Protein backbone atom coordinates (compact mmCIF):
# COMPACT_ATOMS: atom_id res chain seq x y z
CA UNK A 1 0.00 0.00 0.00
CA UNK A 2 1.03 3.60 -0.38
CA UNK A 3 1.79 5.13 3.01
CA UNK A 4 4.06 7.88 4.28
CA UNK A 5 4.15 10.00 7.44
CA UNK A 6 2.04 12.61 5.62
CA UNK A 7 -0.83 10.10 5.78
CA UNK A 8 -0.88 10.13 9.58
CA UNK A 9 -4.12 11.44 11.11
CA UNK A 10 -4.29 14.40 13.46
CA UNK A 11 -3.00 13.08 16.80
CA UNK A 12 -3.79 16.12 18.93
CA UNK A 13 -4.65 14.95 22.43
CA UNK A 14 -2.85 11.62 22.02
CA UNK A 15 -0.25 10.70 24.65
CA UNK A 16 2.40 8.31 23.38
CA UNK A 17 5.45 6.49 24.75
CA UNK A 18 8.16 5.34 22.34
CA UNK A 19 10.95 3.19 23.75
CA UNK A 20 14.40 3.65 22.24
CA UNK A 21 13.33 6.97 20.73
CA UNK A 22 16.77 8.56 20.84
CA UNK A 23 17.92 7.04 17.54
CA UNK A 24 16.96 5.05 14.47
CA UNK A 25 13.40 3.81 13.97
CA UNK A 26 12.31 5.10 17.37
CA UNK A 27 13.57 8.61 16.71
CA UNK A 28 11.71 8.91 13.40
CA UNK A 29 8.60 7.36 14.91
CA UNK A 30 8.58 9.83 17.81
CA UNK A 31 9.33 12.78 15.53
CA UNK A 32 6.41 12.11 13.20
CA UNK A 33 3.98 11.37 16.02
CA UNK A 34 4.91 14.66 17.70
CA UNK A 35 4.74 16.45 14.37
CA UNK A 36 1.13 15.35 13.99
CA UNK A 37 0.08 16.60 17.41
CA UNK A 38 0.84 13.78 19.86
CA UNK A 39 2.50 14.44 23.19
CA UNK A 40 5.42 12.03 23.04
CA UNK A 41 7.55 10.58 25.83
CA UNK A 42 10.96 9.37 24.70
CA UNK A 43 11.67 6.41 26.98
CA UNK A 44 15.41 5.85 26.67
CA UNK A 45 18.40 4.30 28.43
CA UNK A 46 20.66 7.27 27.59
CA UNK A 47 18.78 10.41 28.63
CA UNK A 48 21.48 12.77 27.34
CA UNK A 49 21.08 11.29 23.86
CA UNK A 50 17.33 11.40 24.37
CA UNK A 51 17.40 15.11 25.13
CA UNK A 52 19.40 15.78 21.97
CA UNK A 53 16.86 13.80 19.95
CA UNK A 54 13.91 15.57 21.56
CA UNK A 55 15.41 18.98 20.82
CA UNK A 56 15.28 18.15 17.10
CA UNK A 57 11.58 17.28 17.15
CA UNK A 58 8.52 19.48 16.65
CA UNK A 59 5.63 19.58 19.08
CA UNK A 60 5.47 18.41 22.68
CA UNK A 61 8.07 15.91 23.86
CA UNK A 62 9.77 14.89 27.08
CA UNK A 63 12.48 12.41 27.98
CA UNK A 64 12.26 9.70 30.65
CA UNK A 65 14.87 7.16 31.70
CA UNK A 66 14.05 3.54 30.97
CA UNK A 67 16.42 0.57 30.87
CA UNK A 68 14.48 -2.41 29.53
CA UNK A 69 17.25 -4.76 30.69
CA UNK A 70 16.27 -3.91 34.26
CA UNK A 71 12.92 -4.95 35.70
CA UNK A 72 13.49 -2.42 38.48
CA UNK A 73 13.86 0.37 35.90
CA UNK A 74 10.67 -0.77 34.16
CA UNK A 75 8.82 -0.73 37.48
CA UNK A 76 10.15 2.73 38.39
CA UNK A 77 9.16 4.13 34.99
CA UNK A 78 5.61 2.86 35.42
CA UNK A 79 5.42 4.15 39.00
CA UNK A 80 6.38 7.63 37.79
CA UNK A 81 3.67 7.61 35.15
CA UNK A 82 0.69 9.84 35.84
CA UNK A 83 -2.48 10.07 33.77
CA UNK A 84 -3.82 8.23 30.74
CA UNK A 85 -1.70 6.69 28.00
CA UNK A 86 -3.12 6.27 24.50
CA UNK A 87 -0.23 4.72 22.59
CA UNK A 88 2.70 2.55 23.67
CA UNK A 89 5.32 1.70 21.04
CA UNK A 90 7.60 -1.10 22.15
CA UNK A 91 10.50 -0.31 19.84
CA UNK A 92 13.86 -0.53 21.66
CA UNK A 93 16.04 -3.58 21.38
CA UNK A 94 19.43 -5.27 21.51
CA UNK A 95 20.75 -7.15 18.48
CA UNK A 96 23.18 -10.08 18.36
CA UNK A 97 25.75 -9.68 21.16
CA UNK A 98 28.67 -11.90 20.10
CA UNK A 99 28.73 -13.74 23.44
CA UNK A 100 26.08 -14.78 25.96
CA UNK A 101 25.17 -11.99 28.37
CA UNK A 102 22.52 -11.58 31.02
CA UNK A 103 20.36 -8.75 32.29
CA UNK A 104 20.65 -7.76 35.94
CA UNK A 105 17.68 -10.06 36.58
CA UNK A 106 19.48 -13.10 35.17
CA UNK A 107 17.74 -13.36 31.78
CA UNK A 108 19.59 -13.70 28.48
CA UNK A 109 20.14 -10.11 27.34
CA UNK A 110 18.10 -10.12 24.11
CA UNK A 111 15.19 -12.15 25.48
CA UNK A 112 15.26 -10.10 28.69
CA UNK A 113 15.40 -6.74 26.91
CA UNK A 114 13.54 -7.19 23.64
CA UNK A 115 10.73 -9.33 25.04
CA UNK A 116 10.55 -9.45 28.84
CA UNK A 117 11.32 -5.73 29.25
CA UNK A 118 8.50 -4.76 26.92
CA UNK A 119 6.17 -7.42 28.32
CA UNK A 120 6.61 -6.01 31.82
CA UNK A 121 6.39 -2.40 30.64
CA UNK A 122 3.10 -3.05 28.86
CA UNK A 123 1.65 -4.84 31.86
CA UNK A 124 2.72 -2.17 34.32
CA UNK A 125 1.38 0.63 32.07
CA UNK A 126 -1.91 -1.19 31.50
CA UNK A 127 -3.80 0.88 34.11
CA UNK A 128 -2.75 4.05 32.25
CA UNK A 129 -3.73 2.53 28.90
CA UNK A 130 -7.11 1.58 30.32
CA UNK A 131 -7.75 5.24 31.10
CA UNK A 132 -7.73 5.91 27.34
CA UNK A 133 -10.79 5.41 25.15
CA UNK A 134 -8.55 4.24 22.29
CA UNK A 135 -5.57 2.42 23.84
CA UNK A 136 -3.08 0.86 21.45
CA UNK A 137 0.16 -1.10 21.86
CA UNK A 138 2.57 -1.54 18.95
CA UNK A 139 5.32 -4.13 19.25
CA UNK A 140 8.22 -3.72 16.82
CA UNK A 141 9.64 -7.08 15.75
CA UNK A 142 11.88 -8.13 12.84
CA UNK A 143 11.92 -10.31 9.74
CA UNK A 144 14.45 -12.27 11.80
CA UNK A 145 11.49 -13.69 13.76
CA UNK A 146 10.97 -16.03 10.79
CA UNK A 147 14.07 -17.89 11.96
CA UNK A 148 12.67 -18.58 15.43
CA UNK A 149 11.53 -21.99 16.68
CA UNK A 150 9.23 -23.55 19.27
CA UNK A 151 12.13 -23.40 21.71
CA UNK A 152 11.27 -19.71 22.18
CA UNK A 153 9.38 -20.68 25.33
CA UNK A 154 12.71 -21.73 26.91
CA UNK A 155 13.86 -18.10 27.07
CA UNK A 156 17.26 -18.36 25.33
CA UNK A 157 19.27 -20.53 27.75
CA UNK A 158 23.05 -20.18 27.74
CA UNK A 159 23.51 -23.77 26.58
CA UNK A 160 21.89 -23.01 23.21
CA UNK A 161 23.04 -19.40 22.77
CA UNK A 162 24.06 -18.08 19.36
CA UNK A 163 24.00 -14.41 18.34
CA UNK A 164 21.71 -14.96 15.34
CA UNK A 165 19.51 -17.77 16.65
CA UNK A 166 18.87 -16.15 20.01
CA UNK A 167 18.07 -12.83 18.34
CA UNK A 168 15.53 -14.61 16.13
CA UNK A 169 13.94 -16.15 19.22
CA UNK A 170 13.64 -12.79 20.97
CA UNK A 171 11.91 -11.24 17.94
CA UNK A 172 9.63 -14.26 17.57
CA UNK A 173 8.67 -13.66 21.20
CA UNK A 174 7.76 -10.08 20.24
CA UNK A 175 5.33 -11.26 17.56
CA UNK A 176 3.82 -13.92 19.81
CA UNK A 177 3.33 -11.37 22.58
CA UNK A 178 1.62 -8.99 20.15
CA UNK A 179 -0.83 -11.69 19.04
CA UNK A 180 -1.54 -13.04 22.52
CA UNK A 181 -2.10 -9.55 23.93
CA UNK A 182 -4.58 -8.86 21.15
CA UNK A 183 -6.35 -12.18 21.73
CA UNK A 184 -6.65 -11.60 25.48
CA UNK A 185 -7.84 -8.02 25.06
CA UNK A 186 -10.49 -9.10 22.57
CA UNK A 187 -11.66 -11.97 24.78
CA UNK A 188 -11.96 -9.59 27.72
CA UNK A 189 -13.99 -7.07 25.72
CA UNK A 190 -11.24 -4.50 26.19
CA UNK A 191 -10.86 -1.65 23.68
CA UNK A 192 -7.08 -2.23 23.72
CA UNK A 193 -5.66 -2.80 20.24
CA UNK A 194 -2.39 -4.70 19.85
CA UNK A 195 -0.55 -4.52 16.52
CA UNK A 196 2.94 -5.32 15.28
CA UNK A 197 5.41 -4.05 12.71
CA UNK A 198 8.91 -4.64 11.46
CA UNK A 199 11.21 -2.15 9.68
CA UNK A 200 12.73 -4.46 7.10
CA UNK A 201 16.49 -3.97 6.91
CA UNK A 202 17.23 -0.37 7.81
CA UNK A 203 20.32 1.68 8.50
CA UNK A 204 20.01 2.34 12.22
CA UNK A 205 22.34 2.62 15.20
CA UNK A 206 21.24 -0.79 16.49
CA UNK A 207 24.08 -2.59 14.73
CA UNK A 208 26.68 -0.33 16.33
CA UNK A 209 25.13 -0.56 19.81
CA UNK A 210 27.94 -1.65 22.20
CA UNK A 211 25.42 -3.87 24.01
CA UNK A 212 24.83 -5.84 20.79
CA UNK A 213 26.78 -6.36 17.58
CA UNK A 214 28.73 -3.20 18.35
CA UNK A 215 30.52 -5.07 21.12
CA UNK A 216 32.79 -6.06 18.23
CA UNK A 217 34.95 -2.93 17.66
CA UNK A 218 35.22 -3.57 13.90
CA UNK A 219 31.43 -3.67 13.56
CA UNK A 220 31.08 -0.58 15.74
CA UNK A 221 33.39 1.45 13.51
CA UNK A 222 32.24 0.09 10.14
CA UNK A 223 28.47 0.06 10.67
CA UNK A 224 27.82 3.84 10.42
CA UNK A 225 29.65 3.90 7.07
CA UNK A 226 28.44 0.67 5.49
CA UNK A 227 24.79 0.48 6.63
CA UNK A 228 23.49 3.58 4.75
CA UNK A 229 25.07 2.31 1.54
CA UNK A 230 23.39 -1.10 1.65
CA UNK A 231 20.00 -0.66 3.31
CA UNK A 232 16.98 1.62 3.39
CA UNK A 233 16.97 4.63 5.69
CA UNK A 234 15.77 4.57 9.29
CA UNK A 235 13.10 7.09 8.24
CA UNK A 236 11.70 4.59 5.71
CA UNK A 237 12.01 1.82 8.28
CA UNK A 238 9.72 3.75 10.62
CA UNK A 239 6.78 3.71 8.19
CA UNK A 240 5.45 0.26 9.19
CA UNK A 241 5.49 1.30 12.85
CA UNK A 242 3.72 4.58 12.14
CA UNK A 243 1.04 2.72 10.18
CA UNK A 244 0.59 0.12 12.91
CA UNK A 245 0.38 2.91 15.51
CA UNK A 246 -2.49 4.70 13.81
CA UNK A 247 -4.21 2.67 11.10
CA UNK A 248 -3.29 -0.99 11.63
CA UNK A 249 -6.11 -3.43 12.37
CA UNK A 250 -6.08 -5.35 15.68
CA UNK A 251 -3.62 -8.24 15.52
CA UNK A 252 -2.10 -7.04 12.24
CA UNK A 253 1.59 -7.25 11.44
CA UNK A 254 3.01 -4.71 8.96
CA UNK A 255 6.30 -4.55 7.09
CA UNK A 256 7.99 -3.64 3.79
CA UNK A 257 6.93 -5.69 0.77
CA UNK A 258 9.97 -5.87 -1.52
CA UNK A 259 13.18 -7.92 -1.55
CA UNK A 260 12.09 -10.43 1.03
CA UNK A 261 10.36 -7.74 3.12
CA UNK A 262 13.65 -5.89 3.49
CA UNK A 263 12.47 -2.59 1.98
CA UNK A 264 9.83 -0.82 -0.09
CA UNK A 265 6.14 0.05 0.31
CA UNK A 266 4.42 -1.41 3.34
CA UNK A 267 1.75 -4.08 3.63
CA UNK A 268 0.92 -7.29 5.53
CA UNK A 269 4.06 -9.03 6.76
CA UNK A 270 4.60 -12.78 6.94
CA UNK A 271 4.14 -14.65 10.20
CA UNK A 272 6.38 -17.45 11.42
CA UNK A 273 4.03 -20.44 11.79
CA UNK A 274 5.15 -20.75 15.42
CA UNK A 275 3.72 -17.28 16.06
CA UNK A 276 0.35 -18.52 14.77
CA UNK A 277 0.26 -21.37 17.29
CA UNK A 278 -2.14 -20.03 19.92
CA UNK A 279 -1.18 -22.67 22.47
CA UNK A 280 2.50 -21.73 22.24
CA UNK A 281 1.64 -18.03 22.46
CA UNK A 282 -0.28 -18.70 25.66
CA UNK A 283 2.61 -20.79 26.99
CA UNK A 284 5.09 -18.00 26.29
CA UNK A 285 2.75 -15.57 28.06
CA UNK A 286 2.73 -17.77 31.18
CA UNK A 287 6.53 -18.08 31.08
CA UNK A 288 6.79 -14.29 30.80
CA UNK A 289 4.52 -13.73 33.79
CA UNK A 290 6.63 -16.17 35.80
CA UNK A 291 9.91 -14.49 34.84
CA UNK A 292 8.72 -10.88 35.40
CA UNK A 293 6.05 -11.24 38.09
CA UNK A 294 3.83 -8.94 36.05
CA UNK A 295 0.15 -9.86 35.58
CA UNK A 296 -2.17 -8.17 33.09
CA UNK A 297 -5.49 -7.09 34.59
CA UNK A 298 -7.47 -7.15 31.35
Amino acid sequence: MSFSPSDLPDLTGTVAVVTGANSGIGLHTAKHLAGHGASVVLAVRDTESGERAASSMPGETRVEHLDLASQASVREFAERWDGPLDLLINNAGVMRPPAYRETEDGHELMFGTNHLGHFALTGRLLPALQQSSTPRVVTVASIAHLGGTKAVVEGNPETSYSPEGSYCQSKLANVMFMRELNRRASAAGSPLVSTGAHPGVSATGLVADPNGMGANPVVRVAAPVVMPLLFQSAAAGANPTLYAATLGEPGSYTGPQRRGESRGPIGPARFNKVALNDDLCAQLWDVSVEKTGVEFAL
Side-chain angles (χ1 to χ4, degrees), residues 128-145:
L129 286 160
Q130 290 175 324
Q131 294 179 46
S132 169
S133 59
T134 57
R136 181 176 288 248
V137 177
V138 180
T139 302
V140 181
S142 168
I143 53 175
H145 99 280

Side-chain angles (χ1 to χ4, degrees), residues 60-133:
E60 182 180 346
T61 61
R62 80 171 193 267
V63 176
E64 290 282 346
H65 178 260
L66 173 65
D67 182 356
L68 289 160
S70 165
Q71 288 291 314
S73 179
V74 171
R75 182 181 65 252
E76 290 162 3
F77 179 92
E79 288 174 346
R80 293 195 305 271
W81 189 266
D82 183 37
L85 174 61
D86 303 291
L87 174 62
L88 171 60
I89 299 185
N90 292 324
N91 164 82
V94 177
M95 187 167 70
R96 302 184 184 96
Y100 179 85
R101 294 176 57 190
E102 290 185 349
T103 68
E104 66 179 43
D105 304 290
H107 310 301
E108 187 277 317
L109 183 63
M110 289 185 286
F111 190 82
T113 303
N114 301 352
H115 171 58
L116 293 178
H118 282 127
F119 179 91
L121 179 67
T122 305
R124 292 190 182 280
L125 288 177
L126 190 59
L129 286 160
Q130 290 175 324
Q131 294 179 46
S132 169
S133 59

Side-chain angles (χ1 to χ4, degrees), residues 71-269:
Q71 288 291 314
S73 179
V74 171
R75 182 181 65 252
E76 290 162 3
F77 179 92
E79 288 174 346
R80 293 195 305 271
W81 189 266
D82 183 37
L85 174 61
D86 303 291
L87 174 62
L88 171 60
I89 299 185
N90 292 324
N91 164 82
V94 177
M95 187 167 70
R96 302 184 184 96
Y100 179 85
R101 294 176 57 190
E102 290 185 349
T103 68
E104 66 179 43
D105 304 290
H107 310 301
E108 187 277 317
L109 183 63
M110 289 185 286
F111 190 82
T113 303
N114 301 352
H115 171 58
L116 293 178
H118 282 127
F119 179 91
L121 179 67
T122 305
R124 292 190 182 280
L125 288 177
L126 190 59
L129 286 160
Q130 290 175 324
Q131 294 179 46
S132 169
S133 59
T134 57
R136 181 176 288 248
V137 177
V138 180
T139 302
V140 181
S142 168
I143 53 175
H145 99 280
L146 295 170
T149 70
K150 293 180 180 180
V152 64
V153 296
E154 298 174 5
N156 284 358
E158 184 174 5
T159 52
S160 61
Y161 181 80
S162 74
E164 177 64 23
S166 298
Y167 178 67
C168 292
Q169 297 291 60
S170 74
K171 302 316 286 185
L172 173 58
N174 286 155
V175 178
M176 294 170 73
F177 166 58
M178 178 277 289
R179 290 195 66 248
E180 182 66 5
L181 176 60
N182 191 68
R183 187 193 69 78
R184 289 177 181 245
S186 178
S190 168
L192 179 71
V193 170
S194 174
T195 64
H198 78 78
V201 182
S202 303
T204 74
L206 189 59
V207 174
D209 184 348
N211 288 296
M213 293 177 71
N216 181 317
V218 175
V219 172
R220 189 163 61 249
V221 171
V225 176
V226 175
M227 290 288 288
L229 299 177
L230 299 179
F231 305 119
Q232 69 176 354
S233 67
N239 287 341
T241 300
L242 291 167
Y243 180 86
T246 53
L247 301 172
E249 293 294 319
S252 63
Y253 183 44
T254 304
Q257 299 295 287
R258 293 178 182 164
R259 297 186 184 178
E261 296 189 10
S262 66
R263 63 191 307 147
I266 67 171

Side-chain angles (χ1 to χ4, degrees), residues 235-289:
N239 287 341
T241 300
L242 291 167
Y243 180 86
T246 53
L247 301 172
E249 293 294 319
S252 63
Y253 183 44
T254 304
Q257 299 295 287
R258 293 178 182 164
R259 297 186 184 178
E261 296 189 10
S262 66
R263 63 191 307 147
I266 67 171
R270 291 174 294 162
F271 283 100
N272 183 322
K273 65 181 181 180
V274 176
L276 298 177
N277 184 320
D278 291 344
D279 290 339
L280 279 175
C281 289
Q283 185 178 347
L284 177 65
W285 184 282
D286 291 341
V287 167
S288 303
V289 169

